Amino acid sequence: MIVNPTKERIDGLSGRLEAFGAKKRTPSPAQSSSATRTQDGTAISLRANTEMLHELSAARRCGAEGIGLFRSEFLYFGHPQGIPGMEEQLATYSRLAKEMSPHPVAIRTLDAGSEQVIDGPNLTSQENPSMGLRGIRLSLHARDAFDMQIEAILRASCDGRIEIVLPMISTIEEIWQARALIEKTRSRLAGIPELRVQAFLSER
């Protein structure tokens, strides 16, 4: 939100909005059923990076064959409770999977520092709080929140192809710890007959 924007700021944004509107009205060659190819004829798969659900229609319109990165932290930023609940997360991830099916969706777990999430650990005394306990390290610290996000992602995988991306990995031990927690949740959900959990960890 920009409070009392200057005339120059308004004019600049108006121009960008007009350009965006014109682009939306222009038919995209990517909407055809043919595969995306480079100039030399090599077929490639294009995926979109998104952070909001309303971006899915634009991704499909541009010919995206899935979501290469969904930034889940935008569900958390500014949330009244600090952390979105199970149902809210499940609804978001399920919609991603359904709308992009049969193409894959890569969901990145919370990639944020404690200063960006309400009621996060007080880490202001760290030497470098912006790069310390954040990303996967924050998730491994706040395990209840991480478990809830992983469960929501795994449950949503019943509706399509989902990959799990872990952010800010710095050691192999962090991968081992995260995998163990993911597998523990997967094993628990495997006991529910109506669930067909199939999300897997994308090691990138």
Side-chain angles (χ1 to χ4, degrees):
M1 178 182 295
I2 303 173
V3 180
N4 297 325
T6 63
K7 182 179 184 302
E8 291 75 15
R9 190 67 177 264
I10 293 174
D11 291 343
L13 290 175
S14 297
R16 289 173 59 186
L17 285 172
E18 290 176 5
F20 180 73
K23 187 174 181 180
K24 287 182 65 176
R25 291 189 295 270
T26 303
S28 170
Q31 294 182 42
S32 67
S33 58
S34 59
T36 304
R37 297 182 181 277
T38 59
Q39 288 187 342
D40 63 1
T42 302
I44 59 175
S45 175
L46 294 179
R47 296 195 198 180
N49 287 358
T50 62
E51 54 202 40
M52 301 293 179
L53 288 176
H54 67 75
E55 297 171 326
L56 295 179
S57 58
R60 292 195 306 271
R61 187 168 60 249
C62 292
E65 296 179 322
I67 301 299
L69 183 68
F70 178 73
R71 303 178 180 91
S72 69
E73 55 270 16
F74 284 86
L75 292 174
Y76 294 72
F77 294 164
H79 194 279
Q81 281 75 47
I83 297 176
M86 169 66 70
E87 295 304 318
E88 184 176 349
Q89 292 193 60
L90 178 57
T92 297
Y93 305 147
S94 292
R95 182 175 166 187
L96 280 168
K98 289 176 181 177
E99 293 202 19
M100 297 309 299
S101 182
H103 303 303
V105 171
I107 298 175
R108 183 174 68 190
T109 60
L110 177 62
D111 185 16
S114 61
E115 76 282 358
Q116 296 171 292
V117 182
I118 297 175
D119 295 330
N122 183 3
L123 305 172
T124 55
S125 61
Q126 287 190 116
E127 184 176 336
N128 188 353
S130 66
M131 294 298 292
L133 196 63
R134 62 176 302 115
I136 190 60
R137 290 180 291 285
L138 178 61
S139 292
L140 293 175
H141 181 85
R143 292 198 174 186
D144 288 344
F146 184 57
D147 287 343
M148 180 165 60
Q149 181 173 33
I150 292 300
E151 179 173 344
I153 292 173
L154 291 176
R155 285 178 175 269
S157 71
C158 297
D159 296 317
R161 296 170 57 192
I162 293 182
E163 301 168 1
I164 299 173
V165 179
L166 303 176
M168 295 288 289
I169 293 289
S170 58
T171 68
I172 189 66
E173 287 78 14
E174 291 168 351
I175 296 179
W176 292 341
Q177 292 178 56
R179 287 182 68 98
L181 292 173
I182 292 171
E183 289 307 315
K184 182 179 179 181
T185 302
R186 187 200 302 272
S187 296
R188 177 167 55 82
L189 295 178
I192 304 176
E194 62 269 24
L195 292 181
R196 302 181 310 282
V197 171
Q198 56 188 346
F200 64 92
L201 185 62
S202 177
E203 298 181 350
R204 291 189 274 165

